Structures are given as C-alpha cells and as structure tokens.
Amino acid sequence: MPSAIDSALGTAQLVAAFSGVPVASGVVMLLQSINNTCSQVAVHKAKSAQLAQRCTTLLNMINEHSTAFVGTDIIKNLDELEAVLSSVHQRVQRWTRCGKVERFMKNWKIERDLDKCHADVNVAVECLQLTSPMNIIKMQQQSIDLMRRHQTVMEEGLQQLLITPRDVEHAAQQHEQGGSAARELMKFGQEHLVQIRGKQSVAASSPNFFGEYLFESRESSCPPSPVTTVQNQLEQALLDLHRLTKIPPTIPILNNQVQRANSLPTSWGRHSAVFEGSWLGGKKVALKTLRVVDERDPRSKTLQARFEHEITVWSKLKHENVLTLYGIVTNMGPIHIVSPWQGNDTVLTYRRNNPHVNPLELLRQAAKGLEYLHDNQIVHGHIQCNNLLVSSEGVVTVCDFGLTQVLVDVVGRGTLDMLTTTSAIRWFAPELSNGEEAELTKHTDVFAFGMSILELLTLKPPYSHRKRDVIVMQDLQEGRLPLRPEEPEAIPWMTDGLWATLHGRCWAIQSENRLTIAELSLHLEEVSASLSK
C-alpha cells in the first residue's frame, strides 16, 4: 500500500522536521508505522486501507501545522496522543502476525479492533484541536477523493464480470451439442455474484474520516450504483441461461440468491415446512425448512455441516422422476432446501383434482425415480405420497430423499420421533420398530412404497381401519398387514396380481424376501398397461 503523504516526506525527513518539537517526532514515527503495518493485515482490507488513509491525513495535518505547535497548549496533548497511537500500533501489529487458522477463528475480533482503531485516530485529531471548519472540509475532501479512487478501480473490475447476451446464446448452443460451456458460465456468474455482494458489503461499511457513510442506502432515490447495476445484469443473464438450458445452479450454496415470497408456509411435512420463494428474483422455487432442530440448538451447526456435504451429492442427481435440488441456504435462520416449484402439489392432491388419471402410471413414475436413487446407493427413508410431487407438466418426482437419514444421524431416531408432529409408523417396515438400532435400507423403502401404492389407490393412509398408531404398531409386530381395500376409488386398479405382489412381496415380514424397486417398477408398468387396453 503506497503512502499518500502529500509532502512526500519520508520518515527520516519528517522526524527531522520535528526536531524542534521532540515529542512530535514519536507521534510521526507511530503514524508512519501504523500506515505501513495496515498493508500487512491479511483480512478486512478495506477497513485497513481506511485506517491507513486516516493516519496519512493526520500526518499531513501535523506536518502543515508543526510551526504552530511551538509555545502552545497543543504540545501538552502530544504525550496523550502518542499513548493512543502506540495502542493502535500494537493492536494492528498483532493481527499481522496471525496465521491463517487464527485469522479465521478471530475474524470478528480483528474487525472489531480495526473499528476501535478508527475511532482512536479520530480522537487523536480532537486531541490536537485541529478540527476547524477548514480542516474538516479538507479531511472530508481527502476521504471522498480516496473513495472515488477506490470506486474507479472497482468499476473497472466490475466490467470484467459482465455476462453478455451473446455469451448466454453461445453457451446455450454449446449445451445443445453436449458441451460444458453453459455449466461453466453458470458457475462463473454465481462466483462473481458472491464477489459483487462482497463489494456491496465493503461499500456499505466504509465510512469517511468522521464515520459518515458516503454510499447509497437501499432506500436511496439516487440512481443505482455500478455494483447494483452489474449485479442485476448478472442475475438476469443467469436466469436467461437457466431458461434456455434448464441447467440448475452449479454452486449449491445459495446464500443471498434466494428470497421468500411470504412469511407463511404453503404446506407442512412431518419435520418441515414449505415456503414459496424465488431464485435471483425471477425463478419460482420451493424453500423447505427443517423444524426439528432450532437454529439456537448446538446441533444446528452439525446439521448445517452435514447438509452442506450432502447437497453436493444430491444436487448432482439427474433423473426426470427425482426432484432437482438447486441447493441450500444457510443464512436465513434455519436451513432452507431449495428446489423448483412443483405446480400440482402431491400425487394425492393431483389424483383428487384429476379423478380420471391413471394412478398406477403416477406410481410407475415414482418407482422409476426411487429405482434411480437406489442405483446411486441412496436410501430415501421416508417414502409416502406426501413426498411424491407432480409438476405442472404432470411429471411425478420423488422428493425429500436422504433427509430422514441425515436427521436420524444428527439427533437420533428417538429424538426425531419426539420432535416431529406426525407419525410415519403406518409406512414403516416391521424392522424399524427396533428403536435406535433400526436401520433404513432399500428393503424398508420397498415396504414403504408398497404402503404408498395402497395410500394413493384408496386416498387414505395405510391401515385406515385403525384409528390409533399404537394399534398399527401392534399389528406390525404381530405380522398383521392391511386389509384389501374396498373403496370404490381403489377397486378398478387393485387387481388380484397387484394385491398379491403387495401382500406377499412388498410387505414380506422378512426384508430379504421383498422385491427390489426395479422389479416392482416393472410390475406396475405391466399392470398399468393391461388396464389401459
């Protein structure tokens, strides 16, 4: 960081200039040292630059008024000023010696110390009684000039971040030919949105010499800043790229890219609530929040770390019958899982609203999605009709895969059951009644999927003849399975062959005797085709 001392005096020259004022030479040395040390602080660069500029301004002022100090009361204040600056110097110097880990752990303390240093240097100005109107105007102008120089550099850098319509069109054309340009452009845009928001944060937290904020506020009626203009252009370019290619976000941590549309959820799940939201202000998305662990709970950090790991795997899954996951948001209170908005809600709602639809075709699509998950060694863990969604195009997608296993691993099965508001026992395989030792497997998924077939055909939960879950649990432990449905909604679709498959192969008490989901998917396809003739 170059020194900006107007008189261009080096340290030795400055000390010599104050040879008639011995105490002032110590002040000058400290100011020069603080100025140089600021450039070595590896974090909060903008705040360090501001501190260095303040020291430079004070140094210039002392130089200009040096002859006026002799024989005045200001000399008496120099001892106090030297003590203040010595403390500032020690604090700044301490942070230059920090290693990377210590800087990360004490990031907030470094920021707080730099703010305190800013305030102390302001006090130094007051100590010298140099705050005449003319000096105030001069210092404000120097600060404004510095900010303008920073703004010019920033604007030049921002121009390199723009994504032009031609860039988007070229990437989309390559995508159609199987190229990777669209994904790379999506990643480029997301990375630079993060950078731009960092620049906004610096601009919003960069006061002038007297702590006054010079940049526009959100409520400002002034034209948008270059940062905001480039941000808006980037967001629109990424939305255009998404519409042309259907490529989801490449970076799955979507902090500051997603907003809720309202404060009330559109639906509730066993351990979650779903809100309507938007990605980049233009793509309608679903935001699923987890209600199991409060954000103040110490386990929330473990849960966040686990989700940040899992989302990198889940977001790479690509199948028409598996809900695409855009990513997660970790800075809006509880964790938000972000996915495309599904226009027709669950398969249950869709069938009720479309009574002539073939429910076996909906189930066949869902089975294909679960088959893909199993092929990728992912156990769903919570299959039921509430987790089978229908898009506005009528395509069924499996959602919430792997979610239950993550929650079980973090909080334990017993705690999870206590913290959730609804029971899933009616879809549980018998082996899941073993408490904490129970293990979610592909076999338990097949059992639950069989119960989901019964649920969609009857439009009622499994064991609908039982009002209490505790009786259902006794039935499971004693090997009593659901009764063959007699509901008029189910009879046309529940063939003898399908009932035999459910009763004997999906709900087999011994898990190893159950069908695979691939076998069940094939059977559903055959039954559906035979009934459609």
Side-chain angles (χ1 to χ4, degrees):
M1 181 184 302
S3 174
I5 301 173
D6 296 337
S7 59
L9 291 175
T11 303
Q13 290 173 294
L14 283 167
V15 174
F18 281 94
S19 58
V21 190
V23 179
S25 62
V27 171
V28 170
M29 290 285 287
L30 284 169
L31 285 169
Q32 181 71 23
S33 184
I34 293 169
N35 191 317
N36 293 335
T37 305
C38 283
S39 65
Q40 302 171 31
V41 179
V43 292
H44 301 295
K45 292 285 191 180
K47 286 183 182 269
S48 298
Q50 283 288 316
L51 179 58
Q53 174 63 22
R54 295 184 187 201
C55 289
T56 296
T57 301
L58 181 55
L59 198 55
N60 286 332
M61 289 169 57
I62 293 174
N63 181 46
E64 291 170 8
H65 292 80
S66 60
T67 57
F69 288 169
V70 180
T72 69
D73 290 339
I74 294 178
I75 290 292
K76 299 176 183 178
N77 296 329
L78 289 175
D79 278 333
E80 182 179 347
L81 175 58
E82 186 168 0
V84 169
L85 294 177
S86 178
S87 175
V88 169
H89 181 250
Q90 289 174 9
R91 288 201 297 274
V92 176
Q93 197 170 49
R94 181 166 68 247
W95 298 128
T96 65
R97 294 194 290 263
C98 286
K100 185 180 297 185
V101 175
E102 187 179 3
R103 288 199 302 270
F104 175 78
M105 298 297 293
K106 295 183 178 180
N107 188 285
W108 64 273
K109 183 172 175 56
I110 298 173
E111 183 177 19
R112 188 184 64 183
D113 260 11
L114 286 171
D115 288 337
K116 179 67 166 57
C117 290
H118 289 183
D120 287 348
V121 174
N122 285 342
V123 170
V125 176
E126 295 175 5
C127 286
L128 291 180
Q129 301 175 8
L130 296 176
T131 52
S132 68
M134 187 59 66
N135 285 328
I136 290 175
I137 293 172
K138 184 174 182 179
M139 288 186 290
Q140 287 179 328
Q141 186 59 51
Q142 288 174 337
S143 187
I144 291 171
D145 290 344
L146 174 68
M147 298 303 288
R148 284 175 176 167
R149 288 197 296 273
H150 287 175
Q151 186 82 1
T152 300
V153 172
M154 183 171 64
E155 289 176 12
E156 290 173 355
L158 286 172
Q159 293 302 313
Q160 301 175 16
L161 307 184
L162 292 173
I163 297 176
T164 67
R166 189 166 186 173
D167 293 333
V168 173
E169 183 181 0
H170 177 71
Q173 290 172 349
Q174 279 208 352
H175 179 73
E176 290 179 359
Q177 299 168 4
S180 61
R183 295 186 185 281
E184 292 170 359
L185 191 61
M186 178 67 73
K187 182 179 180 182
F188 171 90
Q190 284 189 272
E191 287 175 342
H192 289 89
L193 276 177
V194 172
Q195 289 185 27
I196 286 175
R197 289 191 172 94
K199 294 177 186 293
Q200 283 182 317
S201 177
V202 168
S205 60
S206 297
N208 67 10
F209 197 93
F210 293 96
E212 298 164 337
Y213 290 81
L214 303 177
F215 281 79
E216 63 184 297
S217 67
R218 290 183 181 273
E219 294 76 21
S220 174
S221 59
C222 299
S225 69
V227 174
T228 302
T229 300
V230 173
Q231 175 186 321
N232 293 341
Q233 191 276 343
L234 266 180
E235 290 177 348
Q236 187 58 54
L238 294 185
L239 286 171
D240 291 342
L241 181 65
H242 173 73
R243 292 189 184 105
L244 288 171
T245 64
K246 306 302 181 187
I247 287 177
T250 305
I251 301 174
I253 305 300
L254 302 178
N255 294 351
N256 301 319
Q257 298 178 41
V258 173
Q259 297 82 36
R260 278 189 190 180
N262 48 59
S263 58
L264 296 176
T266 59
S267 62
W268 298 87
R270 183 180 176 223
H271 36 57
S272 62
V274 178
F275 296 82
E276 181 183 332
S278 64
W279 173 57
L280 300 180
K283 172 69 175 179
K284 190 175 181 180
V285 294
L287 306 176
K288 177 163 289 189
T289 64
L290 304 178
R291 298 183 288 116
V292 174
V293 177
D294 187 271
E295 58 186 296
R296 294 165 294 184
D297 189 313
R299 293 172 296 186
S300 66
K301 294 296 184 183
T302 303
L303 189 63
Q304 177 176 324
R306 177 67 183 272
F307 268 104
E308 288 178 353
H309 169 74
E310 295 293 342
I311 197 64
T312 58
V313 177
W314 296 342
S315 62
K316 294 176 182 177
L317 299 172
K318 306 296 177 190
H319 191 277
E320 63 176 345
N321 300 122
V322 173
L323 183 65
T324 300
L325 292 183
Y326 285 173
I328 59 173
V329 178
T330 63
N331 66 344
M332 288 171 54
I335 293 171
H336 289 60
I337 301 172
V338 186
S339 60
W341 186 261
Q342 302 298 291
N344 286 308
D345 208 347
T346 69
V347 288
L348 283 174
T349 302
Y350 186 70
R351 192 185 176 206
R352 289 191 182 105
N353 294 337
N354 300 272
H356 301 297
V357 74
N358 181 346
L360 296 181
E361 170 57 23
L362 300 178
L363 291 163
R364 182 199 66 79
Q365 292 184 52
K368 284 294 183 183
L370 184 57
E371 181 182 349
Y372 174 80
L373 292 175
H374 283 189
D375 287 344
N376 283 274
Q377 308 308 312
I378 295 175
V379 173
H380 188 288
H382 188 39
I383 283 287
Q384 55 180 247
C385 286
N386 278 342
N387 289 327
L388 306 178
L389 306 180
V390 185
S391 71
S392 54
E393 292 79 25
V395 178
V396 178
T397 56
V398 180
C399 71
D400 277 11
F401 43 88
L403 187 59
T404 299
Q405 186 62 61
V406 171
L407 295 175
V408 167
D409 290 347
V410 174
V411 303
R413 180 171 297 282
T415 303
L416 180 61
D417 290 339
M418 287 189 295
L419 291 174
T420 50
T421 56
T422 59
S423 171
I425 192 67
R426 294 170 185 265
W427 292 263
F428 275 6
E431 61 266 27
L432 291 179
S433 63
N434 296 330
E436 293 292 346
E437 297 181 1
E439 182 181 358
L440 297 169
T441 65
K442 295 177 183 179
H443 299 306
T444 62
D445 273 356
V446 169
F447 189 98
F449 194 91
M451 291 296 176
S452 300
I453 293 174
L454 182 63
E455 179 186 12
L456 186 60
L457 297 188
T458 63
L459 297 177
K460 297 177 181 178
Y463 290 96
S464 58
H465 63 292
R466 300 294 197 194
K467 293 184 178 180
R468 299 173 60 199
D469 286 346
V470 67
I471 304 301
V472 174
M473 189 177 297
Q474 290 177 3
D475 284 348
L476 280 171
Q477 291 172 345
E478 296 172 10
R480 289 193 292 270
L481 295 171
L483 303 175
R484 182 164 181 166
E486 298 179 353
E487 290 82 358
E489 299 90 350
I491 289 175
W493 308 102
M494 186 62 78
T495 65
D496 291 341
L498 179 57
W499 178 248
T501 298
L502 292 177
H503 203 273
R505 300 299 309 278
C506 283
W507 301 332
I509 301 301
Q510 298 299 320
S511 61
E512 60 270 19
N513 293 332
R514 294 174 199 151
L515 292 171
T516 65
I517 192 62
E519 293 169 330
L520 181 56
S521 174
L522 180 60
H523 185 68
L524 284 171
E525 186 174 352
E526 292 171 349
V527 176
S528 177
S530 67
L531 292 175
S532 298
K533 292 179 180 178

